[in-house]
Amino acid sequence: MKATVFEFRFRFWIIMAICILGFVAPWDFVLHLDGAGPNGAPGQLAGWGGNAHVWGLLAVLLLKGGAMSIAAAFNLLLAVAIMCALAGAWLRTWGSAYLGADVMRDTSMRSDGVVADGPYRTMRNPLYLGSWLNLLALALLMPASGAVFAIVMLIGFHLRLILSEEAFLRAKLGEPYAAYCARVPRILPALRPQVAASGARPRWGQAALAEIFMWGSAVSFAVLGWRYNATLLLQCVLVSLGVALVVKALATGRGGETRET
């Protein structure tokens, strides 16, 4: 089922709402799906209480399985989260550099031609894949039911957006886009480029500004994750979101002025 025009126009706010619900998990006040667990640093398991985040729950599962100590489990999960966050930030920045920040901010679909440079030579939707990788890192800070909700809902919503975008581009671009889709995978990247580069030049500065939230999240995990404080990490993620919203508002304002002149 394809996303509606309304959903595409307000996709940023819908995605934000999904993530907020994932962190808050309001249904747990009634359903009590999320149990208590460790929310502090490894070795401080006496401080159980409240809804445990996925980071602590998975660490305890690895401990009980006899695979490793609780400290090693926390470190392993953190390392995976850092790799996912960094990979997601880089993939989105790489894709944004070729797609253009103005296209990403647009509330209506555009057909400026087939983008066949950068990551788009090996996959059709690097931005969505980058978002999923980032979500896997953020999910460690969510309660279990919230993480499942956010992952299922966000991936489902993104897939609906992809179907809408592809239908729109097929109608507008015709055979060139159909041929591109036939050669380049939709989500999982091919091992090597499937189409020749068209020679477009990346706009790295715009892309970096457009992905401030992704890089802020990745840096937060990489620099502060070793303090094993999920609350501190979440606060840093929120700061990154705030900065990204300010940059988005400023960029949208400048774009509006440019279109009016």
Side-chain angles (χ1 to χ4, degrees):
M1 181 179 178
K2 297 182 293 186
T4 64
V5 174
F6 175 88
E7 289 174 303
F8 185 87
R9 181 177 183 180
F10 295 100
R11 63 193 184 279
F12 175 82
W13 301 106
I14 293 174
I15 291 169
M16 184 178 294
I18 290 173
C19 291
I20 290 174
L21 287 173
F23 280 108
V24 177
W27 48 81
D28 193 59
F29 293 104
V30 177
L31 301 178
H32 305 293
L33 299 174
D34 301 308
N39 286 299
Q44 297 178 350
L45 301 186
W48 284 40
N51 290 343
H53 48 62
V54 172
W55 193 5
L57 290 174
L58 290 179
V60 169
L61 286 177
L62 290 173
L63 171 67
K64 290 182 177 179
M68 58 189 68
S69 66
I70 189 67
F74 266 93
N75 288 336
L76 174 63
L77 293 169
L78 176 59
V80 172
I82 292 172
M83 288 189 291
C84 286
L86 288 173
W90 163 245
L91 191 54
R92 282 194 59 93
T93 303
W94 191 18
S96 299
Y98 286 96
L99 182 64
D102 56 332
V103 176
M104 295 168 54
R105 291 193 301 267
D106 210 325
T107 56
S108 59
M109 295 186 190
R110 291 169 51 174
S111 56
D112 298 335
V114 178
V115 179
D117 287 282
Y120 296 96
R121 298 178 65 195
T122 58
M123 71 186 89
R124 304 202 306 260
N125 295 282
L127 299 182
Y128 291 125
L129 180 57
S131 294
W132 297 352
L133 291 171
N134 177 264
L135 179 61
L136 290 179
L138 294 181
L140 287 187
L141 308 180
M142 299 177 182
S145 67
V148 172
F149 169 85
I151 291 172
V152 171
M153 292 298 294
L154 189 62
I155 291 179
F157 181 59
H158 278 168
L159 289 175
R160 295 179 65 225
L161 289 175
I162 289 172
L163 293 177
S164 295
E165 293 169 356
E166 289 184 348
F168 174 82
L169 292 173
R170 285 179 184 273
K172 293 293 183 180
L173 301 178
E175 180 56 32
Y177 182 72
Y180 170 77
C181 290
R183 299 187 63 179
V184 180
R186 175 179 283 157
I187 297 292
L188 297 180
L191 297 179
R192 56 186 179 181
Q194 300 299 298
V195 293
S198 61
R201 298 181 61 182
R203 290 167 285 183
W204 293 110
Q206 291 183 14
L209 286 176
E211 302 302 336
I212 283 179
F213 171 68
M214 294 291 170
W215 284 111
S217 300
V219 170
S220 297
F221 273 92
V223 175
L224 299 175
W226 306 104
R227 297 180 64 176
Y228 309 104
N229 189 328
T231 301
L232 176 62
L233 278 176
L234 180 55
Q235 291 171 345
C236 292
V237 168
L238 291 175
V239 169
S240 300
L241 176 61
V243 174
L245 288 174
V246 172
V247 172
K248 176 182 173 67
L250 293 175
T252 302
R254 287 198 299 270
E257 292 172 1
T258 301
R259 287 190 294 270
E260 291 171 1
T261 59

